Amino acid sequence: MLPEEGRRYELADGWLTELPGDLWHDNAAERLKGILKDAARQADADVHVAGTPQYVTTPAGIRRPDVFMVGRDVARTALERRTRTYYGPDLLLVAEIVTPRTGNEHTDRVSKVAEYAAAGIPHYWLVDLEPRPMVTLLELRRDGYRLARKARSGETITVERPFPVAFDPARLSEME
């Protein structure tokens, strides 16, 4: 288990790295989690949408995605075992909120793309909040992730997999 102490960490390639976080980042993660939960409920999808403080194992180590999705049976098993760690192949979708101008921006855009693909996670979403919210959707193919689509603030992003969901990325920067 990784140390908590009010901070967030990941372990990759033998290095413990503190994750950046701020109110805007954390709010966007919570908003996306809510959007996905609402859409899953409407679609009667058999999924569980989660976020920190849970972990995902990848070939490089232990990651802490901002938002991710697993099947309900996988979540139920984790709950029964009292674990907060999921294995890459169990995930349906992972989303990372990119923190610009940090080492984690490179990690989210490069390292995690390779790691999550190697782990077999079918959908990887990158969320940029600056200068205006934008979501980049990557889908796993035989040779790695490929760009499925992008949507900027003011546009509606619509996907059918892993279940139908549609939203304007501008919603990710709204405060409740």
Side-chain angles (χ1 to χ4, degrees):
M1 193 60 58
L2 300 177
E4 290 298 324
E5 306 162 359
R7 296 183 173 134
R8 300 182 307 186
Y9 298 93
E10 288 183 331
L11 177 66
D13 299 320
W15 292 93
L16 188 63
T17 306
E18 185 175 354
L19 298 174
D22 57 33
L23 181 61
W24 202 24
H25 172 280
D26 296 346
N27 179 69
E30 283 302 311
R31 298 284 296 168
L32 180 58
K33 194 164 112 177
I35 289 166
L36 291 172
K37 279 185 173 187
D38 289 345
R41 199 172 302 114
Q42 288 178 2
D44 197 27
D46 195 25
V47 299
H48 171 68
V49 180
T52 59
Q54 298 176 16
Y55 306 96
V56 172
T57 61
T58 71
I62 300 171
R63 294 294 186 183
R64 196 170 183 171
D66 294 315
V67 178
F68 66 92
M69 188 182 311
V70 294
R72 276 195 195 117
D73 58 333
V74 171
R76 194 173 297 113
T77 300
L79 182 63
E80 289 168 357
R81 292 183 180 165
R82 296 190 171 129
T83 183
R84 291 190 288 170
T85 303
Y86 291 90
Y87 298 94
D90 292 333
L91 277 78
L92 304 171
L93 177 146
V94 170
E96 296 287 1
I97 312 299
V98 177
T99 304
R101 300 170 300 280
T102 67
N104 275 9
E105 178 177 19
H106 181 268
T107 300
D108 289 345
R109 294 188 194 285
V110 179
S111 303
K112 288 183 182 178
V113 171
E115 286 177 44
Y116 292 160
I121 301 168
H123 304 277
Y124 181 35
W125 294 7
L126 288 161
V127 177
D128 289 281
L129 297 175
E130 295 180 23
R132 293 181 42 205
M134 178 177 72
V135 179
T136 302
L137 281 69
L138 303 174
E139 290 184 357
L140 189 60
R141 303 286 189 238
R142 297 182 93 200
D143 57 345
Y145 284 117
R146 292 292 171 247
L147 177 65
R149 65 190 58 85
K150 282 187 182 188
R152 292 175 168 63
S153 181
E155 302 172 353
T156 298
I157 191 155
T158 304
V159 296
E160 294 301 319
R161 289 174 290 157
F163 53 84
V165 62
F167 66 98
D168 180 338
R171 291 181 55 195
L172 301 178
S173 63
E174 295 172 352
M175 299 298 270
E176 291 184 351

